Amino acid sequence: MFARLGRMVVGHPWRVIAVWVVAAVAVIALSPGLPTSNDESDFLPGHYESVRAQKVQDAAFPDTFTPAAVVVVGRADGRPLTAADSARVAGIARSARDAHLKDVAELVPGPPSPNRLVQTIAVRMPSDVGTETPEAADAAHALRGELKRLTAGTGLRARTTGAASATLDDRESSGDADLLVMLATLVLILVLLLAIFRSPVTALLPIVVLAVLSQVANGLIAATVRALGLRADSSASQLLIVVLFGVGTDYILFLMFRYRERLRAGDDPKTAMVGALTRVGEAITSAAGVVIIAFLAMTLSTLSLFRSWGPSLAIAVTVTLLGGLTLVPAVVSLLGTKVFWPSKAWRREPEAARFARVGASLARRPALYASVAGGILAVLAVGSFGFRPDFDLAAGALPSSAESRVALQDLQKGLPAGATDPTHVYLTGRKLDRAALTRFGDRLKAVEGVGEVAPPQVSPDGGTAGFAVVLSSAPESARALDTVRGPLRRTARQAAPEGTDALVGGSTAVFVDIRSAMNRDYSIVFPAAAALIFVVLALLLRSLVAPWYLLASVGLGFGATLGASALLFQQVGGKPGLLFHLPLIMYMFVVALGTDYNILIMARLREEAREGAAPRPALAAAIRHTGPTIGAAGLILTGSFAALMLAGNQVLVEVGFAISFGIAVAAFVMALFVTPGLTALIGHRAWWPGHGDAPPADRPAPVPAGRHTP
């Protein structure tokens, strides 16, 4: 099949290129934009309590809002606010509102804190402006400037905190981090490809081709997500770029290494490309199939965020695969050997001395290498049991000098930390008298972890009562989540008057439900993906034995990566937890992409065995020939994700370290030591029952002297 595809592409390269160009233009012109949302409750199914509470709020209290930002006002000298100061705060709120700042819909002053050290102003932004969007950051920036002008000469000091303010601080602290990461990634790819191929043409080829493929993929993804009625978060576009360039560069490398190998064997350029595609096409397609299946398994998630990521990333990989099998061969077939210009090194086969030595040593002692490497990873994997999810992304990502963090410290001088984003408890069912509401509120106040409870707000029809509950801890902290998940929800249900239902909502409740949904997803998505990947590996390798230890090795690498991350950031760094969906991000990249390297080495092991090599010599030859490819691809992917650590954002530091460490383990430990070592030890039985390693009938495999090969 791949031979026929190669002959078709090489025979009609201009037609193939024209089809891709037309497709890119058409998709860009016709596709809708990617629908996004930054409201976490949009990603939860309707049966979760926080979502039902939000619906009650929308129906009974449509004017109630969760502040996008909170202005914390206090005296510059640190003394308590006077009555005149409080009146001045109300005037500042009116003046800022009358300034008609863009995307600042309302400013509502609150009462002074009990000790009168601080007073707050709640800031509402339009419902279509997410708190993590650039529009929210711009509005927070404009508000800060206006507050500075209004408080000049008053003796008051106003600082802003809350979600929109944290978004602004994140943008300012990161500065040009996005540009820095992009440039670092591109420079890394260019430098490594130049070092490998010594040709600017080959170095630029992946970037140019993937730029075209990304336009096609983004358009198809937007249309698919919209057609399925899903919503992505604001990070979806960045994630897609990483997947496209990471996976695409790998697949192009796999093809170019084999193309160069066929040229050295004496093939003319067109025949060499057909031969390269024939030999590596199945491995690339199978590797892409594993990644696509892993991503599609995310459609089983409870959260629509991950259900939208699944088909989106699967489409991106599918487009990249099709481009790697058609567009890249078409372009290279036109360039011929000029693709390596000006280098002549492609004509000589390198000694690959380093990988040859590794392969020879591993062939002599496969058990030693596999057990030592596996043992080290197993020790690291133990640390994964200490993983703690953390939703307090702003505190972890921002420096202590950021205004939103300083303002939060000011707020805590007079109010609980949860005042920036109260939790809401609603009673529904029948009209309630004031005494019953008072008793219910008193029960809520007695809950450990609750700072204060505002007087109840009753809907016009008297059928719903709402209580604003201010937690003692920051709304996103683990302590706040534990308070809402346990004692607060339990007390609300137990204390609800007869004939009423109690619902707990708000951002903290949403995080609680997201954590519950993700625990459920881990128990379903991961096993389903493993089962489907097993099927792909079994079909590729014609074996029911090899897929078991391949999956086990990938799982061990995943556990080691999570364990290393937990040890580094929680134990050494002292962080309360890690990014709450870090395991899922690792699953997408470390498990899905890391399996590619196992597939590549196994495909070469089978090819060497079919040429008549015994298991251990086949191992040595496979490492010698495929080691440079895996090393280069792994180094590029590892370096690309490690570039995220340059952003100055602790969240991206966690993601960058985890993914780069995981890919490094997959490429340089699993694919080069554990997987080939186990295959050599198991021998011919690794390919049971298909025995896809068997040489052609007219060339039987040699039997080593003195023993029978299993």
Side-chain angles (χ1 to χ4, degrees), residues 261 264 345-352 624-625:
E261 185 178 324
R264 289 168 177 163
W346 63 268
R347 297 176 177 175
R348 303 182 305 275
E349 181 165 357
E351 296 181 4
R624 178 174 179 271
H625 288 293

Side-chain angles (χ1 to χ4, degrees), residues 36-39 42 66-69 101-105 123-140 163-164 167 231:
T36 62
S37 173
N38 289 281
D39 186 350
D42 285 346
T66 298
L101 301 175
K102 184 179 179 182
D103 292 326
V104 177
V123 181
R124 181 171 69 86
M125 294 183 182
S127 58
D128 60 343
V129 176
T131 56
E132 298 178 2
T133 60
E135 292 79 10
D138 292 340
T167 299
R231 299 172 72 87

Side-chain angles (χ1 to χ4, degrees), residues 362 365-377 556 669-670 673-679 681:
L362 180 58
R365 294 181 292 274
L368 175 64
Y369 280 97
S371 59
V372 170
I376 293 173
L377 294 179
L556 181 60
V669 180
M670 291 301 180
F673 293 101
V674 177
T675 297
L678 290 175
T679 303
L681 288 172

Side-chain angles (χ1 to χ4, degrees), residues 105-266:
E106 189 175 358
L107 293 98
V108 181
S113 64
N115 60 9
R116 302 192 67 85
L117 288 179
V118 294
Q119 188 169 350
T120 62
I121 302 174
V123 181
R124 181 171 69 86
M125 294 183 182
S127 58
D128 60 343
V129 176
T131 56
E132 298 178 2
T133 60
E135 292 79 10
D138 292 340
H141 183 269
L143 179 60
R144 284 181 178 176
E146 185 67 15
L147 291 171
K148 185 176 182 180
R149 185 184 69 82
L150 293 173
T151 56
T154 64
L156 300 177
R157 181 171 53 205
R159 296 189 176 108
T160 64
T161 187
S165 182
T167 299
L168 172 62
D169 288 337
D170 179 55
R171 185 175 72 180
E172 292 182 344
S173 65
S174 298
D176 297 326
D178 289 346
L179 179 61
L180 177 62
V181 170
M182 180 182 296
L183 289 177
T185 302
L186 293 179
V187 168
L188 176 69
I189 292 175
L190 287 172
V191 169
L192 288 176
L193 290 179
L194 280 171
I196 294 167
F197 295 103
R198 303 176 188 177
S199 166
V201 179
T202 309
L204 290 171
L205 177 65
I207 296 173
V208 174
V209 170
L210 292 171
V212 175
L213 298 180
S214 67
Q215 298 305 311
V216 177
N218 285 333
L220 293 176
I221 289 164
T224 301
V225 170
R226 190 175 293 274
L228 296 176
L230 299 173
R231 299 172 72 87
D233 76 334
S234 58
S235 67
S237 297
Q238 300 169 355
L239 196 62
L240 292 171
I241 291 174
V242 172
V243 170
L244 280 164
F245 278 86
V247 175
T249 302
D250 267 10
Y251 296 165
I252 292 173
L253 273 177
F254 295 168
L255 182 65
M256 292 302 295
F257 267 92
R258 188 53 72 99
Y259 174 64
R260 188 175 64 177
E261 185 178 324
R262 296 312 307 161
L263 287 174
R264 289 168 177 163

Side-chain angles (χ1 to χ4, degrees), residues 41-55:
S41 63
D42 285 346
F43 303 126
L44 281 168
H47 67 272
Y48 279 94
E49 183 173 340
S50 59
V51 179
R52 290 187 284 128
Q54 183 63 49
K55 292 178 180 177

Side-chain angles (χ1 to χ4, degrees), residues 19-107:
V19 168
W20 277 103
V21 172
V22 170
V25 173
V27 169
I28 294 171
L30 300 176
S31 66
L34 183 66
T36 62
S37 173
N38 289 281
D39 186 350
E40 290 85 354
S41 63
D42 285 346
F43 303 126
L44 281 168
H47 67 272
Y48 279 94
E49 183 173 340
S50 59
V51 179
R52 290 187 284 128
Q54 183 63 49
K55 292 178 180 177
V56 170
Q57 175 182 307
D58 294 341
F61 309 107
D63 294 332
T64 300
F65 67 92
T66 298
V70 175
V71 181
V72 182
V73 186
R75 288 181 60 92
D77 57 13
R79 295 180 179 178
L81 295 166
T82 64
D85 291 331
S86 293
R88 197 170 287 118
V89 171
I92 290 172
R94 287 193 301 271
S95 298
R97 183 172 57 247
D98 294 341
H100 301 295
L101 301 175
K102 184 179 179 182
D103 292 326
V104 177
E106 189 175 358
L107 293 98

